[in-house]
Amino acid sequence: MSVDTVTYATPPLTSPLTLIHEASQAPGWWRSAVIYQVYPRSFRDLNGDGIGDLAGITAELPHLADLDVDAVWLSPFFKSPQRDAGYDVSDYCDVDPIFGTLLDFDILMAEANRLNVRVIVDLVPNHCSDQHVAFQAALAAPAESPERDMFIFRDGTGQDGNEPPNNWQSHFGGPARTRITGPGGQPGQWYLHLFDSSQPDFNWDNPAVHAEFERVLRFWLDRGVSGFQVDVAHALVKAPGLPGWGGRADGGSSDGFPGHEAPMFGQPAVHDIYRAWRRILAEYGADRILCAEAGVDLPRLAHWVRPDEMHQAFNFPFLHAGLDVYRLRGVITDSLTVLNGVGAPSTWVLSNHDVVRHASRFGYNGHGPRDGDGIGPADPQPDTDLGRRRAAAASMFMLGLPGAAYLYQGEELGLPDGTDIPGHLRQDPTFARTGGERLGRDGCRVPLPWRAAERHLGFGAGADPWLPLPASFGELARDAQAAAPSSHLNLYRSMLALRRGLDLGSGSLAWAEDWCSGSSLAYVNGTTLVIMNLNHEPLDLPAGRVLLRSAGPETGHRLASGETAWLCLDGGGAE
Ligand code: NOJ
Ligand code: CA
């Protein structure tokens, strides 16, 4: 992608600056927001059954308001058999009993409103649970019936229909087709599931599916939510005829990530769905948003956030760029350029419930774990100090960028993944579906430590947490960090306060060329210089007052290896 190189005066920085993005005061809270992902089952267990719950979120919400986040995004808490940690929904308009009740949700909403924190919920429209009433009705109905047409049933191929209708593979391993049996045990049709066999894909060619999800949107909008994160937003519509696909199960092609020619992703008609949804949200006011979880490459990502579609899309290319300065620079430049073209803000994210936490990913000098595969007791272990130091640097680098930032619960504590989870406790279907070959995502889903002196580190006072908290979480507990001025938590507080004070989320971005090298990267946002050093050697900082640095107490005007600093270039600036 080509950009103009301009040199303009930002005294006392003398470096040439390559302007990529200008500051914008376009309306919309979401353009510059910090959105905190809550993974309910691991946040806080108030009733002591070992699983986090909505009442636990309500109880601890003041801590998130104190962190100064604009919104929380709640991963699924809807009625579900929990075969994929709630991404297998059996009733979209009810709360699963393990998390509480609709009344608990209303209480959570009221507390969020009191604290001025918005609530975004997860919408899972590609598939439901096989326990959903619509799928149960489809199983009971004959082939070609309206009930079957809510899903993607086909006859098998080969002799007696014994072979699946096509060769698609599940994301979690194994075939993406499962054959049903009739009431008399006779073999029947095959249904499509891009994920677990308990997660049948809806048929988005059927208007009845559209009507059902419009009802679901209104249900939660009526309860006061500020919007939806849309799960696998690129997958809802499949190519006509469901043609065979020899590429990777996630749609990735042999050319790399992602395979835009895959028949199960990015079909043009998917955009009509989001245009219709945006019109529904607009009925509730301009502040309700849609965010796409769309695993597509950057030029295409812009299609999801055109002015009449979604408001935001997750920036997975940024997450996958890791600490590679060339990739980071390329992804940031491309994101801002491509999204500017459609008037959308970029988002930035380093961790979520599907990838190894960045404090662990960055704790390796060579190759770390493959995303989605986790780290087990037999694997090389990350260097936790190195990982946490680099994670702080990466977060500080990210939080200076213009656009919206997503945080994953626990990253403000610098939590690493749980790496010693025994196989019998693992719950991610990836583990079972691959016979343990791929560990799956449980490591990043370990419950949070709240109070060091309490039972289960304050996660819950009763039963053992659904996944064990590593002993190392004790010194990382929130109360211990709150009391330590140079803790990871207090760094996050300072970063988020400064980010708001300096309005960095609505700001500009120009690369400071003299400070960009094979091992360092620097940009100017307004009057703030953000500089990250990934070299093994310290780096002399340019002139300017240091506002904040990621490696703790100041050590002179040099930037340590694995450190980021924010400098004020105008001689003034916020404290
Ligand atoms: C993406 C979600 O983030 C992941 O956790 C889930 O397993 C799949 N979509 C299927 O819903
Ligand atoms: Ca509970």
Side-chain angles (χ1 to χ4, degrees):
M1 212 143 296
S2 75
V3 288
D4 296 331
T5 299
V6 293
T7 304
Y8 61 90
T10 309
L13 188 74
T14 53
S15 168
L17 299 177
T18 304
L19 180 65
I20 303 295
H21 174 83
E22 308 221 37
S24 160
Q25 288 305 320
W29 67 272
W30 40 276
R31 290 180 177 273
S32 56
V34 173
I35 301 175
Y36 181 103
Q37 180 187 358
V38 170
Y39 195 66
R41 60 172 45 232
S42 301
F43 190 74
R44 173 82 165 88
D45 169 24
L46 207 68
N47 70 353
D49 65 355
I51 302 174
D53 39 52
L54 295 185
I57 300 171
T58 306
E60 307 293 2
L61 210 51
H63 289 283
L64 304 187
D66 182 49
L67 201 54
D68 201 13
V69 303
D70 296 283
V72 291
W73 149 36
L74 306 179
S75 280
F77 52 85
F78 315 108
K79 213 162 192 188
S80 160
Q82 306 293 325
R83 294 281 297 274
D84 182 22
Y87 283 92
D88 50 321
V89 181
S90 56
D91 186 343
Y92 289 85
C93 296
D94 204 354
V95 172
D96 195 89
I98 63 170
F99 297 123
T101 62
L102 276 173
L103 178 61
D104 290 322
F105 179 82
D106 291 341
I107 294 171
L108 191 165
M109 267 310 310
E111 176 68 345
N113 287 336
R114 185 183 76 78
L115 295 167
N116 208 15
V117 174
R118 293 173 180 274
V119 175
I120 292 172
V121 296
D122 220 306
L123 188 71
V124 191
N126 179 67
H127 46 263
C128 60
S129 158
D130 59 1
Q131 301 307 306
H132 191 287
V133 63
F135 191 73
Q136 289 297 313
L139 290 181
E144 313 307 329
S145 60
E147 289 84 355
R148 288 266 170 108
D149 198 37
M150 293 290 283
F151 299 90
I152 304 178
F153 281 91
R154 294 288 183 277
D155 292 334
T157 56
Q159 209 187 355
D160 301 326
N162 282 339
E163 300 294 327
N166 67 16
N167 64 351
W168 296 5
Q169 294 293 300
S170 153
H171 269 255
F172 296 150
R177 296 290 195 160
T178 292
R179 193 172 196 184
I180 61 168
T181 45
Q186 73 280 22
Q189 289 189 300
W190 299 69
Y191 65 91
L192 176 71
H193 52 87
L194 292 184
F195 294 90
D196 189 56
S197 55
S198 67
Q199 294 167 293
D201 280 43
F202 279 110
N203 171 20
W204 278 91
D205 293 336
N206 183 346
V209 172
H210 293 240
E212 171 60 8
F213 275 92
E214 291 177 10
R215 182 181 78 86
V216 172
L217 289 177
R218 289 182 192 284
F219 180 87
W220 292 105
L221 288 165
D222 286 338
R223 291 195 113 83
V225 305
S226 283
F228 303 87
Q229 188 279 141
V230 181
D231 187 62
V232 277
H234 53 314
L236 276 53
V237 178
K238 278 74 178 179
L242 311 176
W245 166 248
R248 286 177 8 196
D250 59 4
S253 68
S254 49
D255 310 320
F257 171 87
H260 36 262
E261 66 274 35
M264 66 291 268
F265 294 125
Q267 301 302 309
V270 82
H271 298 287
D272 297 335
I273 299 171
Y274 304 132
R275 290 195 183 98
W277 289 6
R278 176 127 181 183
R279 288 194 293 273
I280 292 175
L281 264 70
E283 292 173 26
Y284 289 79
D287 63 337
R288 313 294 175 110
I289 68 161
L290 294 166
C291 176
E293 193 228 21
V296 296
D297 60 10
L298 269 170
R300 281 172 191 78
L301 201 57
H303 296 171
W304 266 260
V305 289
R306 288 175 285 199
D308 58 347
E309 290 196 43
M310 300 218 190
H311 301 73
Q312 299 180 332
F314 282 127
N315 193 336
F316 294 127
F318 176 77
L319 187 154
H320 292 290
L323 292 177
D324 177 328
V325 290
Y326 294 111
R327 280 182 73 186
L328 270 178
R329 179 173 171 149
V331 164
I332 293 167
T333 299
D334 290 356
S335 304
L336 292 169
T337 309
V338 155
L339 296 169
N340 280 342
V342 289
S346 188
T347 63
W348 312 106
V349 61
L350 285 166
S351 280
N352 63 34
H353 64 292
D354 288 333
V355 298
V356 171
R357 286 178 174 277
H358 60 291
S360 293
R361 286 205 312 273
F362 297 158
Y364 293 86
N365 276 316
H367 284 295
R370 211 189 84 141
D371 281 341
D373 280 1
I375 305 166
D379 294 322
Q381 298 296 300
D383 174 336
T384 46
D385 289 342
L386 175 69
R388 197 164 305 124
R389 187 167 79 242
R390 287 181 176 164
S395 298
M396 188 180 270
F397 189 78
M398 174 180 89
L399 287 168
L401 293 168
Y406 276 82
L407 308 179
Y408 176 50
Q409 67 177 38
E411 73 168 77
E412 76 278 24
L413 305 177
L415 293 187
D417 262 38
T419 61
D420 55 0
I421 302 170
H424 71 275
L425 291 181
R426 289 196 175 271
Q427 299 203 12
D428 184 348
T430 310
F431 185 73
R433 285 184 69 88
T434 61
E437 195 184 310
R438 291 175 55 196
L439 293 173
R441 304 157 293 177
D442 291 313
C444 63
R445 300 174 176 182
V446 169
L448 296 186
W450 287 91
R451 284 163 277 271
E454 291 182 10
R455 183 171 163 79
H456 303 316
L457 301 177
F459 170 65
D464 286 348
W466 70 283
L467 285 176
L469 282 75
S472 68
F473 274 25
E475 61 186 23
L476 299 176
R478 186 172 301 262
D479 66 343
Q481 294 206 36
S486 59
S487 65
H488 211 90
L489 175 62
N490 281 320
L491 176 69
Y492 263 70
R493 281 185 176 154
S494 303
M495 288 193 291
L496 295 178
L498 260 180
R499 179 185 153 90
R500 195 181 291 287
L502 296 167
D503 206 10
L504 297 177
S506 307
S508 56
L509 184 132
W511 295 113
E513 298 296 354
D514 284 353
W515 304 94
C516 292
S517 70
S519 53
S520 66
L521 215 45
Y523 59 85
V524 175
N525 179 346
T527 58
T528 305
L529 174 74
V530 175
I531 178 165
M532 176 165 69
N533 178 23
L534 295 172
N535 201 338
H536 295 300
E537 301 298 323
L539 184 72
D540 286 332
L541 284 168
R545 189 164 58 87
V546 175
L547 297 169
L548 198 61
R549 48 197 308 163
S550 63
E554 204 166 327
T555 52
H557 214 67
R558 307 193 86 193
L559 198 58
S561 170
E563 189 181 12
T564 296
W566 289 357
L567 274 77
C568 177
L569 296 175
D570 71 358
E575 285 300 329

